[in-house]
Amino acid sequence: MAAGLPALLLLLLAGLTAVNAVSTQASCLHTAREVALAAARGADSADGERAAPPGAEVSVAVDGDRVQATVRAPVRALGGQLPKITVVATAVAAVEPGADEGRW
């Protein structure tokens, strides 16, 4: 029992960190989709960036008729002493006709 309890605690912390990373990944993907669609329409992408997880970096790149939004967010391991994990999500949208290309 004395050897099993620390192993169980370590497994629990690893599982909770994985759940936190997956939920942050989903939030990054949602933000990347919103920002890419807003940029493809020529709208301000600030509304989509509000949905980003805390500490996330959002970047938008235009390549011809496509807009690519990338969101990077750190995930802190629940152990506290472990290094941060960075999750990345990318979304691509086609530039809509008549979109103001000067806003990016």
Side-chain angles (χ1 to χ4, degrees):
M1 182 77 165
L5 195 56
L8 185 61
L9 183 62
L10 182 64
L11 186 62
L12 177 66
L13 286 176
L16 289 175
T17 300
V19 168
N20 189 17
V22 168
S23 68
T24 303
Q25 173 73 24
S27 181
C28 286
L29 184 59
H30 174 71
T31 301
R33 286 179 186 162
E34 292 296 320
V35 169
L37 286 174
R41 291 183 186 126
D44 188 17
S45 62
D47 291 335
E49 291 180 17
R50 280 189 232 138
E57 298 174 9
V58 179
S59 62
V60 178
V62 180
D63 182 25
D65 61 344
R66 294 186 313 175
V67 176
Q68 180 176 351
T70 303
V71 180
R72 297 178 186 273
V75 177
R76 186 168 208 71
L78 293 178
Q81 299 296 327
L82 300 174
K84 292 181 182 177
I85 302 167
T86 301
V87 294
V88 180
T90 302
V92 178
V95 175
E96 295 186 9
D100 183 16
E101 293 185 15
R103 297 189 77 159
W104 301 305

